[in-house]
Amino acid sequence: MSATAFAGDWASLLTPLTPWVLDVIRSMGHARMTPVQASTIPLFMKHKDVVVEAVTGSGKTLAFVIPTIERLIRRESKHRRDEIGALIISPTRELATQIHSIFSLFLSAQPQFVGSRSDHTSPELPELEYPPPLLLVSSTQSSPAHDVQRFNSTGADIIIGTPGRVEEFLLGKGKGVVSVRELDVLVLDEADRLLDLGFQATLTRILTHLPKQRRTGLFSATMTDANALTELVRAGLRNPARIVVKVQSKKALNTDHDGKGGAGNIIEERRIPANLQNFYLRCRASEKMVQMNRIISYEVSHYQSSQFIIYFATCACVDYFYKILPSILPHSATLHSLHGNLPPTSRTRTLGAFSSSLPTPESPSILLATDVAARGLDLPHVDVVIQFDPPSDPKAFSHRCGRTARAGRSGRAWVLLVGREAEYVDFMSVRKIPLKEQPYFSEDKFVATPEDESSEDPHVEIFTNKIRETLLTDRGIHDQAAKAFVSFVRAYSKHEASYIFRLKDLDLIGVAKSFGLLRLPRMPELKDINRENWCDADVDWDTYAYMNKAQETKRVIAEATSLENKREKQKASRVKRKLNSAWSEKASQKEERDKRKEKRSAKKKWLKTQVPTTPAPLGNQTSKRTRIEDGQDSGDDWNDLAREERMAKKLKKGDINQKTFDAEFGDIH
């Protein structure tokens, strides 16, 4: 394993550092400069703009902190209380907070003196010559107006903040109060992130407000010509020096095709630290949780690793796995959760707790995070990074890995790949991030493949059942599980490397098993999926309750309301059917009446044709039976019609009612 390269002692700088600044550097354990520091500091301390690209963990932060402080110290006149001398802008509040802590460490070590700035009224009081830096980030405890008040009370020369808060400070609440006329230094840290992810308009307004006579530095671990150099005009750099610090390693090359010859070496460029071992492991989607668990066990037992970061695709996944991992992890681990949807104070508290923790291999400390913890954060004691889900933005891959193997320390990074995702290895290789395959982990050792390639690991069912046991303790965790699963599927479908990460190739049933879902959620992506290998958990959903009493009460009320609504709908349906039935009966009666009218009309026409020209004598009247036999009557139908006419006359006179009439003739067809 290659050692981290160094570029000489701090004393070798042509412009010597201020003694108390050098003391702080050495107290931090940096006896020698790294290549990026040796290349950047001399230029930035003078009058040169710089564009710096170096692998994560190479010491970029000190490469701009030190020259910024030195430039302020070497000024002929100190800044007035309303003036700022340096502005550092970073994309996230976590990174801004970390940079602020480093500046604070340096400035708190400066010697005190008796005196003051020209606008101070008590020159006899001892104070710091250079006031502490001011941090501008979103917080429930600090508003933009409060930022201006803190600036007025401290007279800070150095401002560190995120783009939105800096803009409000300079062009909003602080406009007319904060002067930038004497600004010496502007630093854009993680410049590609600032330029790529929606901060262009904000940066343009800030840069337009700043004086052109300044030194500007752009720093990042991933900055290509396409996404950074084309924006330099916007950033206001003038003839900048481009500093690129590469990592190179020797790679064995077999020079004899038949395998009998010797071996040579080629130089391979890398965009990850030299002391970082980068592994990938292939498994089924249903086996990811099993394999992650075994990686942790392997790292603890073989390397005595005690501090881990595990990256997930979405905030919902972090929240969910934070709840279920304690039931399946092999050790008594302390978990920390960090993602962008947490309140700022919670994020700061979590990061502080994780970085200051004192874990042991028997009780490791594990940070579950999204890409909000991928860039710039200096967490020097992280032993292992595990990417449970590869990042949607491929540029974040190296930043994630770079949270370990920092400042000369060694570290290991793992990524779990499923099926077609193995093509991601070649994709990363093109980006100069080599990955080495490690075999599938069995229960107790490395093996080349699972014992039976045609079937999934038998521990999948065990892990799924363990997770389900946790879910059954609280319906709220079940809701989180469904939300996490849906968010993961949505994120996967929007992966930037979509020709590799294709949703149609992903085993969603396997993913659901890995999540330990009780049942599959209703979503379009699962509509036509083969559910042969899936079985819902046996759950009585009517009694499955929330642990939170208020939430459970709300559920019970909602279900009762839903049941009542269902009953009302059923009742309304019965009434509707009854009404429809009554209408049908009325229509049938009308049809019968029409038929009777037709019969009466037909009888009248027939009778007219049968009336004799000479009336028969009264004594010669034939009987009814005789008339029928002679064809002078049409049978019982005519009798019925005659009887109906008589009854109709009685109904008209009121001798009988409609009900009696309908009972007699309502069923005639």
Side-chain angles (χ1 to χ4, degrees):
M1 184 165 50
S2 302
T4 300
F6 290 97
D9 191 89
W10 295 97
S12 63
L13 289 171
L14 295 179
T15 304
L17 298 179
T18 304
W20 61 266
V21 173
L22 186 58
D23 290 342
V24 175
I25 295 172
R26 288 174 174 164
S27 70
M28 296 171 69
H30 303 297
R32 293 177 293 173
M33 291 182 290
T34 63
V36 68
Q37 294 163 354
S39 302
T40 305
I41 291 175
L43 294 173
F44 212 32
M45 283 177 63
K46 296 181 180 179
H47 302 285
K48 196 70 176 176
D49 291 352
V50 294
V51 177
V52 181
E53 180 181 0
V55 297
T56 182
S58 58
K60 292 188 297 297
T61 303
L62 285 184
F64 65 77
V65 168
I66 294 171
T68 297
I69 293 176
E70 288 289 347
R71 284 185 62 86
L72 295 181
I73 292 174
R74 284 169 168 73
R75 277 182 58 91
E76 294 181 359
S77 60
K78 304 303 178 186
H79 287 96
R80 295 175 57 85
R81 200 173 188 83
D82 64 340
E83 295 175 342
I84 62 174
L87 177 62
I88 291 85
I89 302 177
S90 72
T92 66
R93 68 184 315 278
E94 285 76 20
L95 183 52
T97 302
Q98 179 178 285
I99 296 170
H100 176 264
S101 67
I102 296 174
F103 272 109
S104 298
L105 177 63
F106 276 92
L107 294 179
S108 64
Q110 63 179 298
Q112 292 186 342
F113 77 107
V114 176
S116 70
R117 295 188 176 188
S118 59
D119 54 346
H120 200 285
T121 58
S122 302
E124 70 281 359
L125 295 177
E127 63 173 32
L128 296 177
E129 186 171 4
Y130 305 98
L134 181 64
L135 177 64
L136 305 178
V137 294
S138 58
S139 171
T140 56
Q141 301 174 348
S142 177
S143 64
H146 187 226
D147 291 341
V148 177
Q149 292 176 3
R150 288 190 294 130
F151 172 75
N152 288 333
S153 63
T154 62
D157 290 333
I158 302 173
I159 306 296
I160 305 105
T162 51
R165 206 57 178 255
V166 169
E167 180 187 18
E168 180 64 29
F169 178 73
L170 297 179
L171 303 174
K173 298 294 183 181
K175 190 173 183 179
V177 178
V178 182
S179 173
V180 296
R181 289 173 299 179
E182 296 296 321
L183 183 78
D184 288 312
V185 178
L186 169 67
V187 172
L188 303 181
D189 196 21
E190 297 296 344
D192 62 322
R193 186 79 166 177
L194 288 167
L195 295 173
D196 288 346
L197 300 183
F199 294 119
Q200 292 91 335
T202 300
L203 286 175
T204 299
R205 289 190 290 270
I206 293 173
L207 296 172
T208 303
H209 181 67
L210 300 180
K212 297 185 181 299
Q213 297 298 322
R214 64 172 191 269
R215 297 281 64 77
T216 303
L218 275 67
F219 293 78
S220 182
T222 53
M223 186 155 48
T224 64
D225 291 343
N227 64 16
L229 292 181
T230 55
E231 298 289 344
L232 293 184
V233 174
R234 178 187 299 240
L237 275 72
R238 296 177 300 170
N239 192 25
R242 182 168 172 81
I243 301 170
V244 180
V245 179
K246 299 179 180 179
V247 176
Q248 294 181 335
S249 63
K250 290 183 178 180
K251 183 178 180 181
L253 178 64
N254 202 356
T255 57
D256 197 336
H257 294 291
D258 60 9
K260 297 180 180 180
N265 291 320
I266 62 171
I267 301 300
E268 180 184 49
E269 183 181 336
R270 296 155 52 110
R271 290 185 179 271
I272 56 175
N275 289 345
L276 172 63
Q277 293 178 282
N278 223 354
F279 302 116
Y280 75 95
L281 190 151
R282 291 187 291 179
C283 63
R284 295 178 176 86
S286 59
E287 297 166 345
K288 288 180 73 173
M289 187 60 64
V290 175
Q291 287 303 298
M292 184 192 74
N293 203 52
R294 291 174 182 168
I295 290 172
I296 294 173
S297 295
Y298 175 80
E299 286 286 347
V300 168
S301 61
H302 285 68
Y303 296 100
Q304 298 296 297
S305 302
S306 59
Q307 198 168 51
F308 297 76
I309 298 180
I310 303 176
Y311 286 100
F312 295 94
T314 68
C315 301
C317 288
V318 171
D319 282 338
Y320 172 57
F321 285 109
Y322 179 76
K323 291 287 184 65
I324 67 168
L325 282 182
S327 64
I328 60 176
L329 286 176
H331 299 274
S332 176
T334 301
L335 297 183
H336 305 269
S337 172
L338 181 64
H339 58 75
N341 287 346
L342 291 173
T345 52
S346 297
R347 288 161 59 179
T348 301
R349 185 169 56 250
T350 296
L351 197 57
F354 177 71
S355 60
S356 62
S357 62
L358 300 173
T360 64
E362 294 75 23
S363 181
S365 180
I366 302 177
L367 176 66
L368 311 182
T370 59
D371 285 339
V372 74
R375 285 179 175 254
L377 297 183
D378 186 22
L379 303 169
H381 302 296
V382 174
D383 301 304
V384 181
V385 167
I386 301 175
Q387 301 193 56
F388 189 84
D389 304 313
S392 295
D393 179 2
K395 286 195 299 181
F397 189 92
S398 61
H399 291 280
R400 286 180 170 188
C401 298
R403 294 318 97 204
T404 185
R406 298 183 67 80
R409 300 177 181 86
S410 62
R412 288 160 304 285
W414 299 77
V415 60
L416 297 171
L417 300 177
V418 175
R420 181 187 175 88
E421 294 174 6
E423 297 179 16
Y424 196 59
V425 177
D426 294 333
F427 181 73
M428 286 290 105
S429 178
V430 172
R431 291 173 171 259
K432 299 181 174 60
I433 302 174
L435 291 166
K436 180 180 179 182
E437 183 175 10
Q438 286 288 10
Y440 186 92
F441 273 117
S442 69
E443 185 177 4
D444 56 354
K445 62 180 180 180
F446 270 128
V447 292
T449 57
E451 294 181 3
D452 183 0
E453 293 186 20
S454 63
S455 62
E456 68 182 11
D457 193 306
H459 281 74
V460 169
E461 184 177 357
I462 297 174
F463 273 65
T464 300
N465 290 336
K466 281 186 178 181
I467 297 173
R468 285 180 167 182
E469 288 176 6
T470 302
L471 265 62
L472 290 173
T473 62
D474 183 5
R475 190 165 184 154
I477 305 179
H478 158 73
D479 291 350
Q480 285 184 315
K483 182 179 179 181
F485 178 82
V486 172
S487 71
F488 168 78
V489 174
R490 298 284 191 266
Y492 198 94
S493 66
K494 298 176 182 178
H495 202 289
E496 290 188 16
S498 57
Y499 68 96
I500 296 175
F501 296 86
R502 299 193 300 186
L503 192 60
K504 67 177 183 179
D505 296 328
L506 182 63
D507 177 15
L508 293 179
I509 293 296
V511 175
K513 287 182 180 179
S514 186
F515 277 59
L517 299 186
L518 299 178
R519 62 183 179 186
L520 296 176
R522 295 179 180 177
M523 54 190 305
E525 292 82 357
L526 297 176
K527 184 177 180 181
D528 300 321
I529 198 168
N530 182 2
R531 307 193 179 202
E532 180 180 351
N533 297 324
W534 175 259
C535 182
D536 286 350
D538 185 12
V539 181
D540 184 353
W541 294 96
D542 293 331
T543 59
Y544 184 28
Y546 290 97
M547 188 174 292
N548 182 289
K549 293 183 178 179
Q551 201 171 10
E552 174 60 15
T553 301
K554 184 178 179 180
R555 181 191 74 85
V556 172
I557 294 174
E559 288 191 355
T561 304
S562 176
L563 181 60
E564 183 64 27
N565 290 339
K566 184 178 180 181
R567 289 174 178 171
E568 290 182 358
K569 287 182 180 179
Q570 291 175 343
K571 183 179 179 180
S573 179
R574 288 195 298 269
V575 171
K576 185 176 181 180
R577 286 197 300 270
K578 186 175 180 180
L579 290 174
N580 289 341
S581 176
W583 177 87
S584 178
E585 290 177 0
K586 291 178 181 178
S588 178
Q589 290 175 1
K590 183 177 184 300
E591 184 179 353
E592 294 298 332
R593 286 196 296 270
D594 291 340
K595 287 182 178 180
R596 289 196 295 270
K597 287 182 180 180
E598 290 178 2
K599 288 181 179 181
R600 287 196 296 269
S601 176
K603 178 184 178 181
K604 289 179 179 179
K605 291 180 180 179
W606 181 83
L607 289 175
K608 287 181 179 179
T609 62
Q610 299 300 317
V611 174
T613 55
T614 305
L618 291 176
N620 293 333
Q621 293 290 336
T622 58
S623 66
K624 175 181 177 182
R625 182 177 180 87
T626 304
R627 290 198 307 272
I628 294 174
E629 291 175 350
D630 292 340
Q632 298 178 10
D633 205 329
S634 61
D636 292 338
D637 283 348
W638 303 124
N639 295 333
D640 291 338
L641 286 173
R643 185 161 57 88
E644 182 182 352
E645 287 180 354
R646 291 194 297 271
M647 293 291 286
K649 290 179 180 179
K650 291 182 179 181
L651 176 63
K652 188 175 181 180
K653 293 179 180 180
D655 295 340
I656 61 173
N657 55 31
Q658 183 68 44
K659 185 176 181 180
T660 302
F661 181 85
D662 291 340
E664 183 72 20
F665 300 102
D667 58 348
I668 295 177
H669 296 281

